[in-house]
DNA sequence: CGCATGAGTTGCGCTATATGCAACAAAAGA
DNA sequence: TCTTTTGTTGCATATAGCGCAACTCATGCG
């Protein structure tokens, strides 16, 4: 007898399995074995094996001939590209990011909130040899980065509650783990119109973010610059934040937001 | 009675349906209705409806609140980003270079544009005793080699201007040193889809290059073959260029470039 | 304003089909 | 070489996905 999906789930389970398999791949673990997947997702080896061969037949995964493990396939690259091109913020923000990166000499990126996580839509890297690595599509917790906190600050009450509900995990000495502190912190962000993170997610990494508005005046994204603490120092924050805010406003106005 | 999948297909059909639905989205048709999908894929409306709700629950699609049609979701952005980061041109180009070298008997290499210079990322040498020496990491001016001219031809206007600004140095009798000539020459390259250099950088050395595209259709590298003028003769150029273009296209498709 | 048309969702019953098991095959160690 | 681990496949079973059709919303049109 199979353990049924939790009640209320009227979803196609084999499809759901396939999607969960795909989503279990990550930047850190780009290749997976059948048995690993079966183990981690609580599925039978044979189920995973068959699902993988279906995924492979449509180009969503492929078997690496060297490591003999599975990797994500080119179909996902195409589909990801379509998603990317659809977001008009992508188009509009690119030149602005470029200019900002030139001005401040730090990596800049655009992030949005998706299901209690921050997801990076786009980035432009600085050409400094020392830089902070992120990648498009990466997901981070929203309460520990400047872009995440910015998005959270302007998000609906329920989302903030849901994030707190799910628990605030400590990543560094400075991570905000006290729900009350987070709430007042978000209030400050709304008042000042920008957010910063001083080693709250990764040691030695600081960032500054500002909100991007759409034509309805809704916050739809955050623009952030990220860099090592030696370069993004607290003393430089006022000047840098002005530039970040100005760039974010620039994108907002391209999105149809008028003051 | 359902029409079964074509015999020999031992794939999970509901998963396959889901994947086919995803793949039916394209740059030109980024949003789809249930009934359209059902029609075009020969599936029942209810099947599509249920599949879509499963895909939506995992963030692979979402319903556009305005058009009320489905669009590809952010999960695909994440997964596409992972594929993208893995797709280093090194791995993908190596076997193709090998085959090309075997076919044409000349040294082949991959080059990219870096800060107004051409840099050679990778090469596979032919086993001919007489060969042209290059090495990985070598930098050359972009206006006097076939790979450099290819990259320049598809580069941004500013880069071309910057290269001209820095001056066109004469290396041989045939080096293009007239800015106007260079600009029209680059236009020709774009029209033909490949470039050649006849003793423009080193006396006695000819080369042929073609562009390599990434999944966004952007030119990210050039593939070139280099050899002594006795072997890469103008009369052989048409046949050789075909092979170079075909190899370059092969790499492009491995990088996720479709058509 | 109400009727008609079309698109999407959902309950139901049937059986096609995805699953678990276990045997098998194929690598990878030892 | 033998052992161990990992992936694939045949088979029987019952689950779960499918088509059908009724139903609900939207949308358009007279």
């Amino acid at each position: 007898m199979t353990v049924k999906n939790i009640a209320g789930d009227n979803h196609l389970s084999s499809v759901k399995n396939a999607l969960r398999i795909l989503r279990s791949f990550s930047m850190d673990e780009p290749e997976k074995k059948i048995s690993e997947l079966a183990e981690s997702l609580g599925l039978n080896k044979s189920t995973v094996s068959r699902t993988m061969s279906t995924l492979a037949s449509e180009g969503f995964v492929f078997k690496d001939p060297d490591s003999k493990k599975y990797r994500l396939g080119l179909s996902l690259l195409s589909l990801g590209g379509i998603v990317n091109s659809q977001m008009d913020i992508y188009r509009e923000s690119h030149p602005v990011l470029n200019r900002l990166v030139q001005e401040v000499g730090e990596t800049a990126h655009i992030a949005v909130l998706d299901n209690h996580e921050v997801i990076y839509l786009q980035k432009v890297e600085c050409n400094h040899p020392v830089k902070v690595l992120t990648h498009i599509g990466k997901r981070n917790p929203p309460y520990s980065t400047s872009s995440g906190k910015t998005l959270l600050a302007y998000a609906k009450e329920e989302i903030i509650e849901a994030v707190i509900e799910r628990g605030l995990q400590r990543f560094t000495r400075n991570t905000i783990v006290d729900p009350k502190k987070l709430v007042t912190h978000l209030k400050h962000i709304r008042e000042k119109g920008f957010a910063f993170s001083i080693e709250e997610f990764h040691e030695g990494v600081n960032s500054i973010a500002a909100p991007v508005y759409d034509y309805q005046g809704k916050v739809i994204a955050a623009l952030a610059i990220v860099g090592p603490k030696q370069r993004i120092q607290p003393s430089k924050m006022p000047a840098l934040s002005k530039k970040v805010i100005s760039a974010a406003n620039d994108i907002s106005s391209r999105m149809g937001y008028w003051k």
Side-chain angles (χ1 to χ4, degrees), chain A:
Chain A
M1 175 59 152
T2 321
V3 178
K4 270 199 186 172
N5 278 336
I6 298 128
D9 248 334
N10 60 339
H11 294 303
L12 311 187
S13 66
S14 61
V15 175
K16 193 154 192 165
N17 287 343
L19 302 181
R20 284 177 60 214
I21 288 175
L22 288 176
R23 291 195 45 175
S24 78
F25 284 79
S26 69
M27 210 63 175
D28 308 320
E29 300 181 78
E31 42 176 43
K32 303 260 197 178
K33 293 192 297 179
I34 299 279
S35 47
E36 276 171 20
L37 286 164
E39 169 72 16
S40 66
L41 298 174
L43 299 168
N44 192 292
K45 269 198 310 176
S46 65
T47 303
V48 176
S49 172
R50 282 185 269 243
T51 305
M52 291 310 270
S53 84
T54 303
L55 287 169
S57 78
E58 295 289 327
F60 281 69
V61 300
F62 71 99
K63 208 181 218 159
D64 189 306
D66 299 326
S67 66
K68 288 174 181 176
K69 292 182 176 182
Y70 281 93
R71 293 177 160 272
L72 297 175
L74 292 173
S75 290
L76 289 164
L77 197 67
S78 318
L79 296 174
I82 293 169
V83 177
N84 227 334
S85 71
Q86 277 176 37
M87 326 211 59
D88 27 351
I89 187 160
Y90 178 84
R91 245 194 320 276
E92 299 304 335
S93 60
H94 195 72
V96 179
L97 285 186
N98 262 328
R99 222 185 39 234
L100 182 64
V101 169
Q102 290 240 322
E103 261 185 65
V104 303
E106 296 295 345
T107 298
H109 61 237
I110 294 283
V112 296
L113 210 52
D114 176 45
N115 234 359
H116 320 313
E117 287 179 307
V118 177
I119 179 164
Y120 295 98
L121 284 189
Q122 188 176 192
K123 69 162 178 180
V124 172
E125 282 189 348
C126 60
N127 46 21
H128 224 282
V130 180
K131 58 188 148 199
V132 179
L133 292 172
T134 52
H135 70 96
I136 292 173
K138 185 167 163 59
R139 289 161 184 276
N140 278 341
Y143 51 88
S144 58
T145 63
S146 61
S147 35
K149 290 191 297 180
T150 301
L151 292 165
L152 219 46
Y154 295 93
K156 282 188 225 143
E157 197 64 35
E158 304 105 77
I159 293 179
I160 301 174
E161 280 166 15
V163 167
I164 291 172
E165 186 68 27
R166 292 158 65 100
L168 305 176
Q169 194 190 335
R170 178 175 292 286
F171 299 103
T172 67
R173 208 157 12 93
N174 290 353
T175 309
I176 301 170
V177 290
D178 178 5
K180 276 188 193 156
K181 268 193 188 158
L182 180 61
V183 169
T184 42
H185 190 94
L186 295 180
K187 193 160 153 261
H188 280 307
I189 292 171
R190 280 191 296 272
E191 284 163 8
K192 292 181 303 175
F194 75 96
F196 51 82
S197 159
I198 299 180
E199 304 185 71
E200 288 170 36
F201 188 43
H202 292 306
E203 298 285 351
V205 176
N206 293 352
S207 66
I208 306 175
V212 174
Y213 298 88
D214 73 358
Y215 69 104
Q216 296 176 310
K218 222 173 61 187
V219 171
I220 48 163
L223 183 161
I225 57 171
V226 196
K229 66 174 174 184
Q230 291 78 7
R231 297 209 300 265
I232 303 194
Q233 296 164 8
S235 65
K236 291 185 185 164
M237 290 267 181
L240 286 173
S241 63
K242 253 187 206 167
K243 285 180 179 160
V244 173
I245 291 170
S246 146
N249 288 344
D250 195 353
I251 299 173
S252 297
S253 74
R254 284 161 183 254
M255 302 296 292
Y257 177 62
W258 294 101
K259 166 90 185 59

